[in-house]
Amino acid sequence: MKKEQVVHCQFSVWYPIFKKHTIKSLILPLPQNVIDYLLDDGTLVVSGSDHNAHDRTYIHNIDSDAEEDVQWSDDETTTTVTAPEFPDFTSKVLEAINALGGRVFPKLNWSAPRDANWIALNSSLQCHSLSDIFLLFKSSDFITHDLTQPFLQCSDQDSPDPVINYELVLRKWSELIPGGEFRCFVKENKLIAISQRDYTQFYQHILKQEEQTCQAIQEFFSQHIQYNFLDEDFVFDVYRDSQGRVWLIDLNPFGEVTDSLLFTWEELTSGGEISQQQECPAFRYTTSEVTVQPSPCLSYRIPRDFVDLSTGEDAYKLIDFLKLKKSEQEESDEEESSPQ
C-alpha cells in the first residue's frame, strides 16, 4: 500500500466520480483551529452549539484541601474552562446539516467515528449539530488516526508525506440495516472477494440470498466501479437495500490499514486461491448463530480488562477479579459484625 493510494481514498477524491451511486453528501474544509481543538486532550468541554446558549464550563477548585462547596465566582482559586467557539464554521455546518434534512452522518477524509458511538446519548452516529459531531470526534481513536497518522502502514515510508487538506464530510442520514452492508476487495481491477460487513452477527437473509447478493454486487462493480477508480487495487463498501439495489458507501486502501473482516490480508495478497478464481469472487458471511462474536468496537467502549472478563479470554484476570470480590465481601462482613 502506497501513500498515493491512501490519498486517492479520501472522500473528496472519490465522491465526485461516483456521486450518482452513493448517498448525498457535503464537504466542508476543516479550519486549523478546529483541528487543534479536536487534538487537544486538555479540552474536555464540547463546543459547536447550534444556539447562542450559555457556554459550557467546568469549575475546578485548585485548593484540594478545601471541603467547602464550589464557589461560582471569579475567585483566584477557581479555574474556569470555557468551550472554544467557531462561529463561522458553526454557521456553515448548520447550513449544511439543514440542507441534508437536519440529520447527518459525519466523517473526516477517510474515517467515521464508529468507535465512539457509545458516548452519544442514543448510541448512534446520527448528528443534528456541530456539538454532536465534536463529541463523537473528540472521543474517537479513528478520527485521531486520520489527523495524526494517515500514512502509518504505507510501504513507502521514506517518501515525503503528501499534504492533506482535512475536511468535514456530512452525509445525509440513512437508516442502513447492518445486514445489508458488504466489503469488497479489488486487486488489479478484479473483484476477488466479498465479506459481510457486520460479521459478528448472523443474518438469515444473507444465507437465503447468497447467490442474488453476490450477483448484484458483481454487476454493480462491473457497471459502475471497475476501471473508474484511480487505482487498480482498492476496497469498497456497498449496501444492498430491500429492493435489491446496490449503493456505494465508502472506498478504502487495499492494505492492512483496512479491516479484512472474514478474510486475512495474507489470503488477499498472496496470489493464491482467492486471487486466481476466474468466474466469481469468494463470498464469506456468518453462516449460523453459533459463530456470532462480540463487536470489535467493544474494546473502545470499556476498559480491555472488562472485555477479557466478559469473554473469558483471560482466565487469570477472572481469578484475580473473583479473589478481589471475595476479599471485599469478607471485609464487609467483618465491619458488620464488629461492635458499635
Side-chain angles (χ1 to χ4, degrees):
M1 182 181 69
K2 305 290 187 181
K3 293 179 181 180
E4 183 182 47
Q5 291 176 281
V6 175
V7 171
H8 289 167
C9 287
Q10 293 182 96
F11 187 87
S12 59
V13 174
W14 67 259
Y15 180 70
I17 303 173
F18 303 111
K19 189 175 181 178
K20 293 181 180 179
H21 310 292
T22 189
I23 299 169
K24 182 179 179 182
S25 306
L26 294 174
I27 305 169
L28 300 175
L30 203 61
Q32 185 59 48
N33 60 346
V34 174
I35 296 175
D36 294 340
Y37 166 68
L38 293 175
L39 292 175
D40 183 7
D41 289 337
T43 307
L44 301 178
V45 290
V46 177
S47 181
S49 174
D50 50 347
H51 300 289
N52 293 324
H54 293 27
D55 289 339
R56 303 182 186 189
T57 60
Y58 290 87
I59 306 300
H60 173 64
N61 196 323
I62 295 176
D63 184 2
S64 60
D65 294 329
E67 297 182 357
E68 298 178 358
D69 293 338
V70 173
Q71 299 296 319
W72 297 87
S73 67
D74 293 329
D75 187 84
E76 293 182 354
T77 62
T78 302
T79 301
T80 303
V81 182
T82 305
E85 296 295 335
F86 313 100
D88 293 340
F89 184 63
T90 301
S91 177
K92 292 177 182 178
V93 170
L94 290 177
E95 183 178 349
I97 291 175
N98 290 333
L100 293 170
R103 300 182 300 164
V104 297
F105 174 91
K107 62 178 295 180
L108 286 188
N109 301 42
W110 297 279
S111 303
R114 295 182 181 275
D115 57 327
N117 65 338
W118 59 272
I119 201 169
L121 291 177
N122 55 356
S123 296
S124 168
L125 297 183
Q126 181 183 136
C127 294
H128 301 83
S129 66
L130 183 56
S131 58
D132 292 342
I133 297 170
F134 278 166
L135 180 63
L136 291 171
F137 278 14
K138 285 184 69 66
S139 306
S140 171
D141 288 345
F142 295 173
I143 295 298
T144 301
H145 176 273
D146 268 20
L147 294 173
T148 59
Q149 298 177 314
F151 306 109
L152 180 62
Q153 299 189 41
C154 293
S155 58
D156 52 344
Q157 287 296 324
D158 293 337
S159 65
D161 288 348
V163 176
I164 299 299
N165 296 314
Y166 283 100
E167 299 157 333
L168 172 63
V169 177
L170 300 176
R171 314 207 69 185
K172 184 180 178 64
W173 181 260
S174 302
E175 297 289 347
L176 303 184
I177 301 171
E181 296 184 77
F182 301 90
R183 173 155 291 179
C184 309
F185 301 87
V186 178
K187 187 176 182 182
E188 297 177 354
N189 268 319
K190 176 186 174 184
L191 180 59
I192 62 171
I194 302 171
S195 173
Q196 176 183 331
R197 186 77 173 83
D198 183 22
Y199 67 92
T200 63
Q201 302 299 315
F202 168 67
Y203 296 97
Q204 192 172 34
H205 72 272
I206 299 179
L207 180 64
K208 291 181 177 180
Q209 301 175 11
E210 175 183 354
E211 185 176 342
Q212 299 96 311
T213 299
C214 190
Q215 182 178 352
I217 293 174
Q218 284 183 272
E219 291 178 356
F220 178 79
F221 171 70
S222 61
Q223 293 174 10
H224 306 298
I225 306 296
Q226 192 174 30
Y227 306 118
N228 289 326
F229 190 52
L230 302 176
D231 295 312
E232 291 185 343
D233 302 341
F234 58 94
V235 179
F236 68 98
D237 294 337
V238 296
Y239 180 76
R240 184 170 183 258
D241 63 24
S242 58
Q243 305 302 314
R245 181 175 177 181
V246 177
W247 300 83
L248 178 64
I249 301 299
D250 204 0
L251 275 120
N252 301 283
F254 189 88
E256 292 187 7
V257 69
T258 302
D259 192 341
S260 58
L261 303 178
L262 291 173
F263 294 91
T264 67
W265 275 112
E266 183 179 357
E267 288 179 296
L268 296 167
T269 59
S270 64
E273 180 182 349
I274 290 177
S275 298
Q276 294 176 0
Q277 291 186 115
Q278 298 296 322
E279 296 183 1
C280 59
F283 184 26
R284 292 182 183 173
Y285 54 93
T286 302
T287 56
S288 71
E289 294 183 358
V290 176
T291 54
V292 168
Q293 308 169 47
S295 169
C297 283
L298 282 176
S299 60
Y300 299 95
R301 193 170 195 160
I302 57 177
R304 180 68 196 180
D305 287 352
F306 285 87
V307 177
D308 290 341
L309 285 174
S310 64
T311 58
E313 289 184 6
D314 191 328
Y316 292 103
K317 288 180 181 178
L318 179 59
I319 293 172
D320 291 341
F321 177 75
L322 294 175
K323 286 181 178 179
L324 176 62
K325 297 303 293 182
K326 181 180 179 181
S327 176
E328 290 177 349
Q329 183 62 44
E330 290 175 350
E331 291 178 1
S332 176
D333 293 340
E334 289 177 1
E335 290 178 359
E336 291 177 359
S337 60
S338 61
Q340 299 296 325

